[in-house]
């Protein structure tokens, strides 16, 4: 880690341990539609980006119901549960460590911007970051464009940057930016899905960074 001057953090599933509330939020919706519920294992196997594809995989039929209303229903469930989630213990340790090492830290998230700011303030971690970048809607779309904006605004060089994420999309973002990437298998996707990306740095948890 010493060679990196900047760290870009994904938020959900990487910094924020929100897997259980994500599963609970979708299971409330599945139960209402008499669709099979997800376990932690089955959730990590089917979760993907764009998230509309994930909804279709678990049984939603957008020929019969409106995607926009469905997305808002999930966010309503998730927002109620969000105060019950916390930052991974290892993430707090690394935030402090990287701050002491004078690394610039950023959040690059597919969470809606106002919700993201509220969550980081609630958890009192906002001051660790040079910038917190979310999206301007609730549809968890691609983060690539926002990542490019971060690079340009803060004059980041790809060889100096490492991105931490927990999904295949995070690896896509890192490849688009040309930076290094670590994928962490304690988040929203299984280690098998992460390995399928070809990413050379796949770890079980952030604790592997602390102990390396």
């Amino acid at each position: 880690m010493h060679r990196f001057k900047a760290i870009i953090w994904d938020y959900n599933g990487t910094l924020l341990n929100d897997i259980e509330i994500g599963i609970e939020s979708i299971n409330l919706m599945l139960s209402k539609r008499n669709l099979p519920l997800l376990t932690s294992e089955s959730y990590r196997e089917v979760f993907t980006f764009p998230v509309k594809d994930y909804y279709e995989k678990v049984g939603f039929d957008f020929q019969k119901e409106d995607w926009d209303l469905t997305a808002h229903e999930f966010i309503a469930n998730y927002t109620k549960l969000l105060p019950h989630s916390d930052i991974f213990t290892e993430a707090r340790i690394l935030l402090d460590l990287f701050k002491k090492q004078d690394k610039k830290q950023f959040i690059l998230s597919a969470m809606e911007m106002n919700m993201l700011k509220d969550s980081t303030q609630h958890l009192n971690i906002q001051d660790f970051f040079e910038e917190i970048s979310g999206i301007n809607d609730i549809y968890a779309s691609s983060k690539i464009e926002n990542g490019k904006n971060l690079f340009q605004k803060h004059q980041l060089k790809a060889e100096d940057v490492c991105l931490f994420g927990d999904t295949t999309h995070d690896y896509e973002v890192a490849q688009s930016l040309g930076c290094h990437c670590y994928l962490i298998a304690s988040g929203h996707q299984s280690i098998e899905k992460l390995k399928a990306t070809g990413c050379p740095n796949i770890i079980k948890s952030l604790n592997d960074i602390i102990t390396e």
Side-chain angles (χ1 to χ4, degrees), residues 1 18 24 38 41 60 65 92-93 97 101 112 140 145 151 160 170 197-198 212:
M1 285 292 118
D18 68 339
E24 186 174 347
L38 295 174
E41 292 75 20
F60 287 82
E65 61 180 304
R92 287 193 183 274
I93 293 169
L97 178 63
Q101 293 174 349
E112 190 275 327
E145 204 58 41
F151 264 59
D160 296 334
D170 289 309
T197 64
E212 74 170 15

Side-chain angles (χ1 to χ4, degrees), residues 65-184:
E65 61 180 304
D66 183 84
W67 160 234
D68 186 65
L69 292 176
T70 304
H72 278 85
E73 183 181 348
F74 175 84
I75 289 297
N77 292 341
Y78 181 89
T79 302
K80 289 178 185 176
L81 295 170
L82 184 56
H84 301 294
S85 62
D86 199 356
I87 298 299
F88 284 102
T89 302
E90 305 96 315
R92 287 193 183 274
I93 293 169
L94 284 175
L95 287 172
D96 278 320
L97 178 63
F98 293 155
K99 182 179 181 181
K100 289 173 184 174
Q101 293 174 349
D102 291 324
K103 297 185 193 298
K104 292 183 176 180
Q105 298 188 77
F106 304 86
I107 289 178
L108 179 61
S109 175
M111 183 183 271
E112 190 275 327
M113 189 64 198
N114 290 324
M115 184 184 293
L116 178 60
K117 282 186 174 181
D118 288 346
S119 180
T120 56
Q121 288 170 2
H122 173 71
L123 295 167
N124 197 29
I125 59 170
Q126 72 277 11
D127 291 339
F128 283 104
F129 306 104
E130 304 287 318
E131 185 171 339
I132 295 172
S133 175
I135 59 173
N136 57 11
D137 57 45
I138 63 166
Y139 303 111
S141 54
S142 173
K143 301 185 289 189
I144 291 173
E145 204 58 41
N146 283 354
K148 289 178 178 177
N149 290 338
L150 273 185
F151 264 59
Q152 185 174 12
K153 181 176 177 181
H154 297 275
Q155 298 182 319
L156 301 176
K157 295 179 180 178
E159 63 268 24
D160 296 334
V161 177
C162 186
L163 187 150
F164 289 161
D166 70 309
T167 68
T168 56
H169 181 56
D170 289 309
Y171 189 55
E172 292 169 357
V173 173
Q175 286 186 303
S176 295
L177 299 175
C179 66
H180 301 268
C181 181
Y182 275 78
L183 293 180
I184 301 107

